[in-house]
Amino acid sequence: MRIVELNEETRAGLLEALLKRSPVDYGEYEEAVAGIIENVRTRGDEAVFEYEKRFDRCDLDAGSVRVSREEIDEAYSLLDPEFIAVMRRAAENIRAYHGKQVTQSWISTGEDGTILGQKVTPISVSGCYVPGGRAVYPSSVLMNVIPAKVAGVGRIVVCTPPDSRGKAPAGTLAAADIAGADEIYKIGGAQAIAAMAFGTESVPRVDKITGPGNIYVALAKKACFGYVGIDSVAGPSEILVIADETANPRYVAADLLSQAEHDPMASAILLTDSGALAEAVSGEIEGFLKELPRAEIIRESLDNYGYLFVGKNMEELIDAANAIASEHMEIVTKDPFEVMTHIRNAGAIFLGEYSSEPLGDYFAGPNHILPTNGTARFFSPLGVDQFVKKSSIISYSRSALEKVHRDIELFAENEGLGAHANSIRVRFEEDGNA
């Protein structure tokens, strides 16, 4: 893994390289995705089943596309009971954490007759996409479905790719059941996003689609935004570790590789002010690559987007970290909490050598659906807020409006909107105050 001096030039080069991984820059796929979406939109189930035959080599119809209770029960029987118990414990942690995010409607009244407030309403139907392909992610099911359930969403729909036998992964089905999903459909790819966005004869139209996926899924979500809400256009996974000379190089190396194994386009970055640590981490990485099962993917990821940056001081490292705005950020320093106070941009922050990134992926409770590709500058992790809508409440008595009606009329007239001003003025024209 390359060791690079951190300076303005190398930082700028890194940011440019990372941005190239963004799904919004993959224009060559957009035409194909647009065709899939339009076909599903106009032909419904027929198009979906054709794409499943083509892409997942699976024969489906209206009678088999939805997962049955029997299939869910079969999934439980195929799994290790201990793993099922672990999923249940993880679900408890996720539910407890997200329960603290719930906001309530509120009303504020004034003595002058004003009533202002905010009405919080869950969306009616949410759609959760669960990827397949290189790996199966029941953890993503928990992270998507549970916040929707906590928010009070009335109907939660899950879509996930089947295998060639028409079977959805057992772990995905059990996790969806544990999390409280109402319906599960065996559909993958852009066709699943289109089916949820516009509805088909078999798949209900949803109000919002959440969950990660490959480039086709990401671009499909982007294309359907506006017809349906989405969480974000997610890019490849990424981890950034800020470490000083006190860090354990073996731990740091293991944590960097934990994200590199996801995808050849995943990024793994170390920011340190210790050249000795960077050298030690590089050596540990080479040792791990000899024994890890996904070493080929990891090596390609590290060759593409793996960096060990050595900077002059902690201030320089923090500035670089805020510019990168990583999905996952670990701080392994003498005083990680002090460093954390200077971090502005990160999806999730892990503090100390025993808070490795997989803790957040699976068990701690905070959501692992996080902003990628620098979008942590303006996006937040998936949470309860993404599954509710907020409506403003405004009520004025006549006396309250009378005190301010001229102010409102003047504002409207200065914007050239006479009808706006008139809708206030007519309420006082009879008493001569208009």
Side-chain angles (χ1 to χ4, degrees), residues 210-237:
T210 65
N214 63 17
I215 187 64
Y216 293 96
V217 169
L219 289 175
K221 288 170 68 177
K222 177 188 172 190
C224 290
F225 176 66
Y227 298 101
V228 65
I230 64 172
D231 49 354
S232 66
V233 181
S237 188

Short mmCIF file of all heavy atoms in Angstrom, two decimals, residues 210-237:
data_model
loop_
_atom_site.label_atom_id
_atom_site.label_comp_id
_atom_site.label_asym_id
_atom_site.label_seq_id
_atom_site.Cartn_x
_atom_site.Cartn_y
_atom_site.Cartn_z
N THR A 210 -34.90 3.59 0.08
CA THR A 210 -33.61 3.70 0.79
C THR A 210 -32.81 2.42 0.57
O THR A 210 -33.36 1.39 0.17
CB THR A 210 -33.81 3.92 2.29
OG1 THR A 210 -34.45 2.76 2.87
CG2 THR A 210 -34.68 5.15 2.56
N GLY A 211 -31.53 2.51 0.85
CA GLY A 211 -30.68 1.34 0.78
C GLY A 211 -29.63 1.43 -0.31
O GLY A 211 -29.82 2.10 -1.31
N PRO A 212 -28.50 0.76 -0.10
CA PRO A 212 -27.39 0.80 -1.04
C PRO A 212 -27.57 -0.17 -2.19
O PRO A 212 -28.45 -1.02 -2.19
CB PRO A 212 -26.20 0.40 -0.17
CG PRO A 212 -26.80 -0.58 0.80
CD PRO A 212 -28.20 -0.06 1.08
N GLY A 213 -26.70 -0.05 -3.18
CA GLY A 213 -26.73 -0.97 -4.32
C GLY A 213 -25.59 -0.67 -5.27
O GLY A 213 -24.79 0.25 -5.04
N ASN A 214 -25.52 -1.39 -6.38
CA ASN A 214 -24.46 -1.18 -7.36
C ASN A 214 -24.73 0.08 -8.18
O ASN A 214 -25.67 0.84 -7.91
CB ASN A 214 -24.29 -2.41 -8.25
CG ASN A 214 -25.53 -2.70 -9.09
OD1 ASN A 214 -26.41 -1.85 -9.28
ND2 ASN A 214 -25.62 -3.91 -9.60
N ILE A 215 -23.91 0.32 -9.19
CA ILE A 215 -24.02 1.54 -9.97
C ILE A 215 -25.38 1.67 -10.64
O ILE A 215 -25.93 2.77 -10.77
CB ILE A 215 -22.87 1.63 -11.01
CG1 ILE A 215 -22.87 2.98 -11.71
CG2 ILE A 215 -22.95 0.49 -12.01
CD1 ILE A 215 -22.61 4.14 -10.81
N TYR A 216 -25.97 0.54 -11.08
CA TYR A 216 -27.28 0.59 -11.73
C TYR A 216 -28.37 0.98 -10.74
O TYR A 216 -29.28 1.76 -11.07
CB TYR A 216 -27.60 -0.77 -12.37
CG TYR A 216 -26.69 -1.10 -13.53
CD1 TYR A 216 -25.56 -1.89 -13.34
CD2 TYR A 216 -26.94 -0.59 -14.79
CE1 TYR A 216 -24.71 -2.18 -14.40
CE2 TYR A 216 -26.09 -0.89 -15.86
CZ TYR A 216 -24.98 -1.68 -15.65
OH TYR A 216 -24.14 -1.95 -16.70
N VAL A 217 -28.28 0.46 -9.54
CA VAL A 217 -29.23 0.82 -8.49
C VAL A 217 -29.09 2.29 -8.12
O VAL A 217 -30.08 3.02 -8.00
CB VAL A 217 -29.03 -0.08 -7.25
CG1 VAL A 217 -29.83 0.45 -6.06
CG2 VAL A 217 -29.42 -1.51 -7.57
N ALA A 218 -27.84 2.74 -7.95
CA ALA A 218 -27.60 4.14 -7.57
C ALA A 218 -28.14 5.09 -8.63
O ALA A 218 -28.80 6.09 -8.31
CB ALA A 218 -26.12 4.36 -7.34
N LEU A 219 -27.87 4.80 -9.90
CA LEU A 219 -28.34 5.68 -10.98
C LEU A 219 -29.86 5.61 -11.13
O LEU A 219 -30.51 6.60 -11.49
CB LEU A 219 -27.65 5.33 -12.29
CG LEU A 219 -26.16 5.70 -12.36
CD1 LEU A 219 -25.55 5.19 -13.66
CD2 LEU A 219 -25.97 7.21 -12.25
N ALA A 220 -30.44 4.44 -10.88
CA ALA A 220 -31.90 4.33 -10.93
C ALA A 220 -32.56 5.16 -9.85
O ALA A 220 -33.58 5.82 -10.08
CB ALA A 220 -32.32 2.86 -10.81
N LYS A 221 -31.98 5.15 -8.65
CA LYS A 221 -32.51 5.99 -7.57
C LYS A 221 -32.41 7.46 -7.94
O LYS A 221 -33.35 8.23 -7.73
CB LYS A 221 -31.77 5.71 -6.26
CG LYS A 221 -32.10 4.37 -5.63
CD LYS A 221 -31.17 4.03 -4.48
CE LYS A 221 -31.36 4.95 -3.29
NZ LYS A 221 -30.50 4.57 -2.16
N LYS A 222 -31.28 7.84 -8.51
CA LYS A 222 -31.10 9.22 -8.94
C LYS A 222 -32.15 9.61 -9.99
O LYS A 222 -32.76 10.68 -9.92
CB LYS A 222 -29.70 9.40 -9.52
CG LYS A 222 -29.42 10.79 -10.06
CD LYS A 222 -28.08 10.82 -10.79
CE LYS A 222 -27.89 12.16 -11.51
NZ LYS A 222 -26.72 12.13 -12.41
N ALA A 223 -32.38 8.71 -10.96
CA ALA A 223 -33.33 9.02 -12.04
C ALA A 223 -34.78 9.07 -11.55
O ALA A 223 -35.60 9.81 -12.10
CB ALA A 223 -33.20 7.97 -13.15
N CYS A 224 -35.09 8.30 -10.50
CA CYS A 224 -36.47 8.25 -10.00
C CYS A 224 -36.75 9.30 -8.94
O CYS A 224 -37.91 9.47 -8.54
CB CYS A 224 -36.77 6.86 -9.43
SG CYS A 224 -36.86 5.56 -10.68
N PHE A 225 -35.70 10.00 -8.49
CA PHE A 225 -35.91 11.03 -7.47
C PHE A 225 -36.82 12.12 -8.04
O PHE A 225 -36.63 12.60 -9.14
CB PHE A 225 -34.57 11.64 -7.06
CG PHE A 225 -34.72 12.77 -6.07
CD1 PHE A 225 -35.21 12.53 -4.80
CD2 PHE A 225 -34.39 14.06 -6.42
CE1 PHE A 225 -35.36 13.55 -3.89
CE2 PHE A 225 -34.53 15.11 -5.52
CZ PHE A 225 -35.01 14.86 -4.25
N GLY A 226 -37.80 12.48 -7.27
CA GLY A 226 -38.81 13.43 -7.71
C GLY A 226 -40.14 12.72 -7.88
O GLY A 226 -41.19 13.24 -7.48
N TYR A 227 -40.10 11.53 -8.48
CA TYR A 227 -41.30 10.67 -8.49
C TYR A 227 -41.43 9.99 -7.12
O TYR A 227 -42.53 9.63 -6.70
CB TYR A 227 -41.19 9.60 -9.58
CG TYR A 227 -41.11 10.14 -10.97
CD1 TYR A 227 -39.89 10.23 -11.64
CD2 TYR A 227 -42.25 10.59 -11.63
CE1 TYR A 227 -39.80 10.74 -12.92
CE2 TYR A 227 -42.18 11.11 -12.92
CZ TYR A 227 -40.95 11.18 -13.56
OH TYR A 227 -40.88 11.69 -14.83
N VAL A 228 -40.29 9.82 -6.48
CA VAL A 228 -40.23 9.15 -5.18
C VAL A 228 -39.06 9.76 -4.42
O VAL A 228 -38.11 10.26 -5.03
CB VAL A 228 -40.05 7.63 -5.38
CG1 VAL A 228 -38.71 7.31 -6.01
CG2 VAL A 228 -40.20 6.85 -4.08
N GLY A 229 -39.13 9.78 -3.11
CA GLY A 229 -38.00 10.25 -2.33
C GLY A 229 -36.92 9.17 -2.25
O GLY A 229 -37.21 7.98 -2.38
N ILE A 230 -35.67 9.59 -2.05
CA ILE A 230 -34.58 8.64 -1.85
C ILE A 230 -33.74 9.11 -0.67
O ILE A 230 -33.82 10.27 -0.26
CB ILE A 230 -33.70 8.49 -3.10
CG1 ILE A 230 -32.99 9.82 -3.44
CG2 ILE A 230 -34.51 7.98 -4.28
CD1 ILE A 230 -31.95 9.69 -4.54
N ASP A 231 -32.92 8.20 -0.13
CA ASP A 231 -32.02 8.61 0.94
C ASP A 231 -30.83 9.37 0.38
O ASP A 231 -30.53 10.49 0.79
CB ASP A 231 -31.57 7.40 1.77
CG ASP A 231 -31.08 6.23 0.92
OD1 ASP A 231 -31.17 6.29 -0.32
OD2 ASP A 231 -30.60 5.24 1.50
N SER A 232 -30.16 8.81 -0.61
CA SER A 232 -29.02 9.46 -1.25
C SER A 232 -28.61 8.61 -2.45
O SER A 232 -29.10 7.49 -2.62
CB SER A 232 -27.84 9.61 -0.28
OG SER A 232 -27.33 8.34 0.06
N VAL A 233 -27.71 9.15 -3.26
CA VAL A 233 -27.11 8.37 -4.34
C VAL A 233 -25.77 7.87 -3.81
O VAL A 233 -24.77 8.58 -3.82
CB VAL A 233 -26.92 9.22 -5.61
CG1 VAL A 233 -26.31 8.38 -6.72
CG2 VAL A 233 -28.26 9.82 -6.06
N ALA A 234 -25.77 6.66 -3.30
CA ALA A 234 -24.61 6.15 -2.58
C ALA A 234 -23.52 5.67 -3.53
O ALA A 234 -23.80 5.07 -4.57
CB ALA A 234 -25.02 5.00 -1.66
N GLY A 235 -22.28 5.96 -3.16
CA GLY A 235 -21.13 5.49 -3.91
C GLY A 235 -20.46 4.33 -3.19
O GLY A 235 -20.97 3.82 -2.19
N PRO A 236 -19.29 3.91 -3.67
CA PRO A 236 -18.56 2.81 -3.03
C PRO A 236 -18.19 3.15 -1.59
O PRO A 236 -18.05 4.31 -1.22
CB PRO A 236 -17.30 2.67 -3.91
CG PRO A 236 -17.67 3.30 -5.21
CD PRO A 236 -18.62 4.40 -4.88
N SER A 237 -17.97 2.09 -0.81
CA SER A 237 -17.67 2.27 0.61
C SER A 237 -16.28 2.89 0.79
O SER A 237 -15.42 2.83 -0.09
CB SER A 237 -17.72 0.92 1.32
OG SER A 237 -17.61 1.09 2.71
#
